[in-house]
Amino acid sequence: MWKYIKSHLYDLVGEYFREFRFVFHDGGIVLFFLFLPLAYPVIYSLIYNPEVVRDVRMVVVDHDRTARSRELVRNLDACQEVWITGYASDLHEAQRAMHEHDCYGILEIPEGFSRKLGRGEQSPAAMYCDMSLLLRYRGFLVAATNVAQEMGAELLAEKIDSEIPIATTISTGDPLPIENVSMGNIENGFDSFVMPGVVVLILHQCIILASGMAGGARRENPGLTGYGAAVRPRSTSMAMAGEMLCYITILIVPIIFLLHYIPLIFSFPMAGDPAEIFMFILPMVIACLGLGFCFQAVVWERESVFVLWVATSVAFLFLSGLTWPRYAMPGFWRFVGDLVPATWGVEGFIRMNTNGATLAQVRTEYINLWILAAVYLVAGYCVRRWVIRPTLWARPRK
């Protein structure tokens, strides 16, 4: 019994150090394990800074030309989201300015705007926006909504005061003020919204692709990478465990940098407990390694992993629910998303790091990650035992 345990421990330790030598002698694997998780989040975060689009250029077409219409324009220009660059004589001139990118929005005030407001009627003003960037549209919409609410409250107060003068002391200002509190994203910024999920996706992809590339490198030249028949391990499970321990050891620094220091450097929300976050991310890392072992069945060359990068990166992004809510997806795509470790990792990490949830409050995601880890490790074992092992160690052990 002791001899059996000793031989398996020997395989585990031997595979652990052999994999270390193998990884750090392969520039491609080092690139995926260290450079990508350290460089990508910094580049993405810098691209999306500043988080909020401000002073977006807008042109006004004022057919009314009254004090009330000019007040609307002044209030809109006072908002941080909008910069009124000037007036156009008609809508065609304003459209020409938009086509030449001199502005990204048009405000058209109809004739009779002030007169209708004076009679207590609705007087809508049309706003046109360049939809090539949704952040511009969002800024215009927020500014126009806030100005319309404030002017509407002032008009209501004036009307009440004209009919019942004493009512001014009772009701002034907005009768139904709305205060928007964006939980988990105080800045209302795009960077704080998307990057907490993106860092998990970056970690997810780097692990899968690095482990997949390792499988392709072994198949290209087993003898060169130290995986000839003379070093065939006795136990496939111990070989997998040694490789996993090696990869997890290498990933400690990138994981800490991704999940803790990236939010700290760029002032993203950090409401969760770091220890619980790292406990939560552990099964996702194991599940990703298991999925990477499964991908080794189809990666026969090192370069083949780049095909997987192209085929899976965008798909995993959409399935995670970052760009489209998962509850609005068809049942089939929700099921496919459930099979991706990053889906549960993104949901749980955002709830913990952004909204301050505890590990117990994300137990559904945590349990699902452990289930995926077990499933992919079993599948990875089958791939290693009956697909990869015969190709790496074709000659019988003497």
Side-chain angles (χ1 to χ4, degrees):
M1 182 65 181
W2 170 246
K3 185 177 181 180
Y4 176 82
I5 296 174
K6 184 178 179 180
S7 66
H8 279 66
L9 289 176
Y10 177 81
D11 283 343
L12 173 65
V13 175
E15 190 69 20
Y16 178 82
F17 289 105
R18 187 183 305 115
E19 195 69 14
F20 255 111
R21 293 193 298 271
F22 168 59
V23 167
F24 286 101
H25 280 82
D26 192 304
I29 301 176
V30 173
L31 177 74
F32 281 121
F33 266 139
L34 296 178
F35 178 75
L36 261 63
L38 296 179
Y40 263 40
V42 175
I43 296 173
Y44 287 167
S45 299
L46 290 175
I47 289 173
Y48 292 128
N49 268 317
E51 298 193 48
V52 181
V53 176
R54 294 184 173 90
D55 290 333
V56 183
R57 296 189 295 273
M58 175 180 280
V59 167
V60 177
V61 180
D62 190 356
H63 299 293
D64 195 50
R65 296 188 179 276
T66 60
R68 186 69 72 180
S69 66
R70 289 192 292 271
E71 180 186 0
L72 172 63
V73 175
R74 284 196 305 271
N75 291 341
L76 199 58
D77 189 38
C79 297
Q80 65 176 0
E81 295 87 358
V82 180
W83 176 24
I84 303 296
T85 59
Y87 286 82
S89 58
D90 55 27
L91 190 58
H92 293 292
E93 183 182 348
Q95 289 175 341
R96 189 162 54 249
M98 181 179 287
H99 293 159
E100 295 174 357
H101 298 292
D102 293 330
C103 69
Y104 297 98
I106 301 171
L107 176 67
E108 185 181 23
I109 304 175
E111 186 178 356
F113 174 78
S114 181
R115 186 170 59 253
K116 288 182 179 180
L117 290 179
R119 293 199 301 259
E121 301 176 5
Q122 290 186 351
S123 183
M127 185 182 70
Y128 306 91
C129 177
D130 180 4
M131 293 295 292
S132 60
L133 184 63
L134 289 177
L135 286 177
R136 297 193 192 109
Y137 167 74
R138 174 183 174 275
F140 285 144
L141 182 63
V142 169
T145 302
N146 292 338
V147 169
Q149 284 183 341
E150 291 177 3
M151 291 188 65
E154 292 176 2
L155 291 170
L156 180 60
E158 290 176 4
K159 184 176 181 180
I160 293 175
D161 185 46
S162 64
E163 296 183 4
I164 312 174
I166 195 174
T168 307
T169 62
I170 302 173
S171 176
T172 58
D174 191 348
L176 186 62
I178 298 175
E179 183 179 358
N180 179 28
V181 179
S182 300
M183 297 179 63
N185 189 355
I186 304 301
E187 295 291 331
N188 282 323
F190 186 74
D191 210 3
S192 294
F193 163 71
V194 73
M195 281 308 298
V198 169
V199 296
V200 176
L201 285 167
I202 291 174
L203 178 63
H204 177 270
Q205 287 296 84
C206 289
I207 295 173
I208 292 176
L209 297 175
S211 56
M213 179 177 281
R218 293 192 195 100
R219 287 186 173 187
E220 283 183 355
N221 198 331
L224 181 63
T225 56
Y227 281 87
V231 294
R232 184 178 68 180
R234 298 173 178 82
S235 171
T236 302
S237 59
M238 290 296 102
M240 285 181 58
E243 292 177 23
M244 289 177 58
L245 287 175
C246 171
Y247 296 157
I248 292 174
T249 303
I250 297 172
L251 285 167
I252 289 176
V253 172
I255 289 174
I256 294 174
F257 180 75
L258 273 171
L259 303 185
H260 183 72
Y261 284 102
I262 285 295
L264 187 64
I265 293 171
F266 293 97
S267 300
F268 298 150
M270 294 183 64
D273 179 39
E276 290 194 342
I277 290 175
F278 292 133
M279 289 175 61
F280 172 81
I281 217 69
L282 176 62
M284 194 200 83
V285 173
I286 297 174
C288 291
L289 288 172
L291 186 56
F293 291 147
C294 295
F295 275 140
Q296 290 180 2
V298 295
V299 178
W300 290 84
E301 297 175 348
R302 299 171 73 257
E303 294 77 9
S304 302
V305 77
F306 293 102
V307 179
L308 292 176
W309 178 290
V310 175
T312 61
S313 293
V314 177
F316 289 164
L317 173 64
F318 283 108
L319 292 173
S320 68
L322 273 178
T323 58
W324 186 257
R326 296 189 70 240
Y327 62 80
M329 294 181 185
F332 171 77
W333 293 112
R334 280 202 306 272
F335 172 74
V336 174
D338 291 343
L339 301 179
V340 179
T343 301
W344 303 109
V346 167
E347 288 190 8
F349 178 71
I350 289 177
R351 290 176 60 189
M352 295 180 73
N353 195 62
T354 302
N355 295 325
T358 63
L359 191 62
Q361 291 172 322
V362 294
R363 61 181 177 274
T364 300
E365 291 83 359
Y366 191 56
I367 292 172
N368 287 336
L369 282 174
W370 279 116
I371 293 173
L372 287 180
V375 170
Y376 285 133
L377 284 179
V378 172
Y381 174 85
C382 296
V383 169
R384 295 293 297 269
R385 179 67 178 83
W386 288 289
V387 178
I388 298 175
R389 187 182 178 99
T391 62
L392 288 182
W393 300 288
R395 290 183 296 171
R397 183 185 177 92
K398 295 182 180 180

